[in-house]
Amino acid sequence: GDSVTQMEGPVTLSEEAFLTINCTYTATGYPSLFWYVQYPGEGLQLLLKATKADDKGSNKGFEATYRKETTSFHLEKGSVQVSDSAVYFCALSTKLQFGAGTQVVVTP
Amino acid sequence: NAGVTQTPKFQVLKTGQSMTLQCAQDMNHEYMSWYRQDPGMGLRLIHYSVGAGITDQGEVPNGYNVSRSTTEDFPLRLLSAAPSQTSVYFCASSYYPPGQGSSYEQYFGPGTRLTVT
């Protein structure tokens, strides 16, 4: 069945460092792809999404490109801030479930 | 819009007690769901509903009950609380159910932190 594989955390990095969180997927059709973010003590919220191949989603300095040839949707940010410390979830539109997410810790 | 609201924010129960976690949305979303989040386990789907009067089980439904009498409300009932149900519970809604042609994201409530002693 459809699934996503996301790198495990925690990912610890310094402020202004470059962040990449890998996400690959397996799907039989053409799902939409999402990145959600969960800040401490809060629920998940949509960070960005892409609905078809080669689409790039972007928000708050984060970007991810829907790569059908590599079945990937990696999340990137060029210069992270302490406020980006959160858990990040990659998700498929065809799945009701979420994985464990990747915890990101940004230190000053 | 208030979005997805959940009450209470915190709750402590004794083993064997019952309670209802409330969830409401004001976005006229057809799809609603309940998740529990435990350390290292991600979010696990408990129950979901694709419209008023229609509910179905997720991957961890045992010990929980749901009903959907209106589009807006989707309460989660714990029938006889157990320590294994200590968790953070999230309610979510979406315009359409997740599926092949759907590009609609889910909107999450702020969560209910439940402790069962």
Side-chain angles (χ1 to χ4, degrees), chain A residues 29-30 36 38 44 49 93 96, chain B residues 35 37 98-100 102-103 106:
Chain A
Y30 304 97
Y36 288 85
Q38 183 180 29
L44 279 71
K49 71 178 183 183
S93 61
L96 304 179
Chain B
Y35 295 89
Q37 186 175 34
Q100 190 68 24
S102 171
S103 64
Q106 295 194 64

Side-chain angles (χ1 to χ4, degrees), chain A residues 49-106:
Chain A
K49 71 178 183 183
T51 59
K52 60 183 186 298
D54 299 325
D55 263 5
K56 178 187 282 188
S58 61
N59 186 25
K60 299 183 180 182
F62 290 89
E63 291 183 341
T65 301
Y66 190 156
R67 302 278 188 207
K68 198 168 184 303
E69 63 276 14
T70 55
T71 62
S72 65
F73 193 54
H74 304 324
L75 182 68
E76 297 181 335
K77 186 174 185 182
S79 176
V80 294
Q81 305 300 312
V82 172
S83 57
D84 294 323
S85 297
V87 181
Y88 294 82
F89 296 85
C90 183
L92 285 171
S93 61
T94 51
K95 295 290 287 186
L96 304 179
Q97 290 87 359
F98 289 80
T102 301
Q103 183 179 12
V104 172
V105 178
V106 181

